[in-house]
Amino acid sequence: MPTVTNVDAQSAITAHHAELQASLRERVLALRVEVQAGRSHTDPQRNVLDYLDSELLPHAAAEEAALYPAGDSGRTAMLVRAMKDEHRNLIAHVAALRVAADGVEAVAISSAILALFESHLSKENDLLIPVLVADPNVALGALLGGMHELLG
């Protein structure tokens, strides 16, 4: 099996992040459209939740297990800790979305989830990953070995 370079791993991670972001954005928009049209929010809300449960939250957990330990010391330690806090915040928002009483609340919460996730991706793509790529002691490809949800 060929070795994955740090730059190749970075490209794979950022491409996957773009896919996650677009998929979540599409689902949140579909929910908003249904609510604005006065239609039931139940199915599109379930679609957002299913995506969060099956893709986004497992992705976050995988990152915490494989990627974040490499940045959890030195100059990126505070960033990694803040990003872990954002994961917990995402989980709390998902829990709130599960019990949203109406469509307006579901749109508000799902929009907050999307905004938080987009901000989180910016930190990861633009701040954490470049530092890890530049670190000669980090083999990003090896860290991500077996994490198909990140490598695509």
Side-chain angles (χ1 to χ4, degrees):
M1 182 170 135
T3 303
V4 176
T5 68
N6 279 2
V7 173
D8 291 340
Q10 179 181 23
S11 294
I13 291 168
T14 56
H16 186 66
H17 284 167
E19 291 170 10
L20 288 171
Q21 182 180 12
S23 293
L24 180 58
R25 187 180 289 155
E26 177 184 309
R27 286 163 174 79
V28 171
L29 178 60
L31 172 59
R32 183 179 303 128
V33 165
E34 292 303 301
V35 171
Q36 287 174 333
R39 295 186 288 266
S40 173
H41 69 283
T42 305
D43 288 341
Q45 179 180 346
R46 171 60 33 217
N47 193 19
V48 171
L49 283 166
D50 288 347
Y51 185 75
L52 293 167
D53 289 336
S54 66
E55 297 293 330
L56 198 138
L57 293 180
H59 175 88
E63 286 178 334
E64 283 195 28
L67 183 63
Y68 287 8
D72 205 11
S73 63
R75 66 186 193 158
T76 55
M78 294 297 287
L79 174 62
V80 168
R81 289 180 193 130
M83 292 173 68
K84 287 180 180 179
D85 287 343
E86 288 175 340
H87 284 172
R88 286 189 284 281
N89 198 351
L90 281 169
I91 291 167
H93 278 70
V94 172
L97 182 58
R98 287 187 206 293
V99 296
D102 58 49
V104 172
E105 184 179 10
V107 168
I109 295 168
S110 65
S111 295
I113 290 169
L114 177 61
L116 178 58
F117 184 62
E118 290 177 335
S119 174
H120 181 80
L121 288 182
S122 177
K123 289 179 190 100
E124 196 162 285
N125 291 342
D126 301 335
L127 301 174
L128 179 62
I129 300 299
V131 171
L132 296 179
V133 166
D135 187 338
N137 298 314
V138 173
L140 204 52
L143 290 176
L144 300 179
M147 295 184 62
H148 300 289
E149 63 274 12
L150 289 177
L151 294 175

